[in-house]
Amino acid sequence: MSRLKSILVFFLNIFKHNLKFKLIALFSAVILWFYVILQTPYNRIIEVPVQIQLPDSLVFDGDVPNSVKIEFVGTLRDFFLFGKFGQPYVYLNLQSVTSGEQNLDIYPENVIYPDWIGVKTQGKNSLQIFLQNLDSLFLPLQIEESLLIQSNWRIVEYSIKPDYTWVVGGREDLKKLRQRPLTVKPELGEDFSFSIQCTVELEIPQMPTKPFSRDSFIVVDFKLDSLVLIEKKLPVTITGSSGFYAMPDSVKLFALVSASLIDQISTDDIVLFTRPTRSDMHSSELQIEWPYYGQVETTWFEISQVKLIPK
């Protein structure tokens, strides 16, 4: 035990001798080590935001990458400053570019730093984009054909304001929109009357260049009419031959008629008839003849066919 104690005392005496110089040497070694480490070359791949300036005559065809991976080189000290103060971005001015597919090379001068922080770019980087020529088109508007309303009402007429709208977008996308009118789908609700006005938000089909119109809302005025059910049993007339009779010889007709026009319709003007042929003696199709196609919403028969019996 005494021997171990004497060894410890020996080393403590050595450490106390010239302690000031030894601490200075240790501190200098640590500083030198940090300096060497901070000056060590280093590289890192970092995702950097992208800003692209297009001429007014072009528009992006599809989604645009909002960042690109760039390889930076520098020392650890440079990257320490980079992490604290560096917010670089890629700036591409494409004033001379044309429409179509474009593969853009990113050069060191395209990387913009807010302050010089020592790091530099390394390697070749590129970005792929697609462009269309910017254009506009004057397109008609109409209500959607599948617009459903309550079964006891019908749309007599409607008007849309505006009935045409300017749509701005890529030229190729506008060519597709030209093929058919833009449609709006009003919500008529459940409280019907003979005159209804609806305000509808215009929705343009989703396309790569995101076409848009400054007419965001469309006003649609409807004139409606209620429907009245007509039910009438009518005799079946056989045309083209007098050698048959029909079974049954009368069939009930149903029709939905506009209420405002009901007084103009006479069931005496309606004729149910069938024409005998050799192929359909046992199942002859019923047909209707009347002058009221414009006033009637829809018609149907109690049965659609009759049998023809020779006399």
Side-chain angles (χ1 to χ4, degrees):
M1 185 68 181
S2 59
R3 184 177 179 183
L4 179 60
K5 183 177 180 180
S6 61
I7 292 174
L8 289 174
V9 171
F10 174 76
F11 278 106
L12 286 173
N13 290 332
I14 294 176
F15 184 75
K16 290 179 181 178
H17 186 65
N18 295 327
L19 178 61
K20 178 180 178 181
F21 296 104
K22 291 177 181 178
L23 290 175
I24 292 174
L26 179 62
F27 182 74
S28 299
V30 171
I31 293 298
L32 180 62
W33 181 81
F34 270 109
Y35 177 78
V36 172
I37 291 297
L38 290 175
Q39 296 302 317
T40 301
Y42 190 68
N43 68 310
R44 184 187 300 174
I45 296 177
I46 300 174
E47 198 158 347
V48 176
V50 175
Q51 294 183 14
I52 302 177
Q53 182 176 348
L54 290 180
D56 295 337
S57 59
L58 294 174
V59 64
F60 290 111
D61 185 359
D63 295 331
V64 183
N66 54 15
S67 62
V68 63
K69 291 182 178 179
I70 301 289
E71 184 177 6
F72 293 92
V73 295
T75 65
L76 282 178
R77 171 186 172 277
D78 295 331
F79 277 102
F80 175 78
L81 296 175
F82 182 89
K84 291 292 184 181
F85 308 106
Q87 294 180 339
Y89 63 94
V90 172
Y91 175 74
L92 299 172
N93 190 331
L94 307 183
Q95 293 302 314
S96 60
V97 78
T98 58
S99 62
E101 179 181 352
Q102 303 291 334
N103 292 298
L104 309 174
D105 292 328
I106 299 175
Y107 299 101
E109 56 266 27
N110 297 128
V111 181
I112 309 300
Y113 303 89
D115 294 302
W116 187 86
I117 49 179
V119 298
K120 298 179 180 179
T121 61
Q122 176 174 277
K124 182 180 180 181
N125 299 280
S126 62
L127 194 66
Q128 186 183 54
I129 62 173
F130 298 87
L131 302 172
Q132 286 189 32
N133 290 304
L134 184 66
D135 208 343
S136 61
L137 194 62
F138 201 43
L139 294 176
L141 300 177
Q142 67 179 27
I143 64 170
E144 190 172 297
E145 292 182 357
S146 61
L147 178 67
L148 299 178
I149 62 174
Q150 293 180 6
S151 58
N152 59 328
W153 288 84
R154 72 188 289 254
I155 298 174
V156 177
E157 62 181 46
Y158 69 89
S159 62
I160 298 179
K161 299 177 183 178
D163 55 353
Y164 276 77
T165 185
W166 281 103
V167 179
V168 180
R171 185 172 296 167
E172 299 303 316
D173 287 351
L174 295 183
K175 286 180 181 178
K176 297 176 183 177
L177 287 178
R178 190 200 299 268
Q179 297 174 4
R180 58 179 182 178
L182 294 177
T183 58
V184 295
K185 189 174 182 179
E187 296 290 339
L188 296 180
E190 297 180 357
D191 298 327
F192 278 72
S193 63
F194 292 95
S195 179
I196 296 179
Q197 185 177 88
C198 300
T199 301
V200 189
E201 185 174 2
L202 177 62
E203 295 183 3
I204 298 175
Q206 292 294 318
M207 291 188 159
T209 61
K210 299 179 175 58
F212 69 93
S213 170
R214 293 183 175 86
D215 296 315
S216 301
F217 293 94
I218 308 300
V219 177
V220 186
D221 289 301
F222 289 97
K223 288 186 178 180
L224 305 179
D225 202 351
S226 60
L227 298 175
V228 178
L229 177 64
I230 292 178
E231 181 179 336
K232 179 73 173 181
K233 195 158 191 176
L234 299 170
V236 176
T237 301
I238 300 174
T239 62
S241 175
S242 59
F244 298 89
Y245 66 90
M247 189 177 70
D249 59 357
S250 61
V251 173
K252 192 174 290 187
L253 170 72
F254 302 91
L256 283 174
V257 181
S258 299
S260 60
L261 303 174
I262 190 68
D263 294 336
Q264 302 177 23
I265 294 179
S266 171
T267 55
D268 295 336
D269 297 332
I270 304 173
V271 177
L272 294 186
F273 69 94
T274 185
R275 191 184 307 275
T277 63
R278 190 176 297 275
S279 61
D280 59 3
M281 288 289 185
H282 300 290
S283 183
S284 185
E285 195 79 25
L286 279 176
Q287 300 179 52
I288 185 172
E289 180 180 333
W290 65 351
Y292 304 116
Y293 293 104
Q295 289 93 331
V296 176
E297 180 73 10
T298 185
T299 61
W300 66 96
F301 302 122
E302 181 182 17
I303 58 175
S304 61
Q305 296 174 334
V306 296
K307 290 183 179 180
L308 299 181
I309 310 297
K311 291 182 179 179

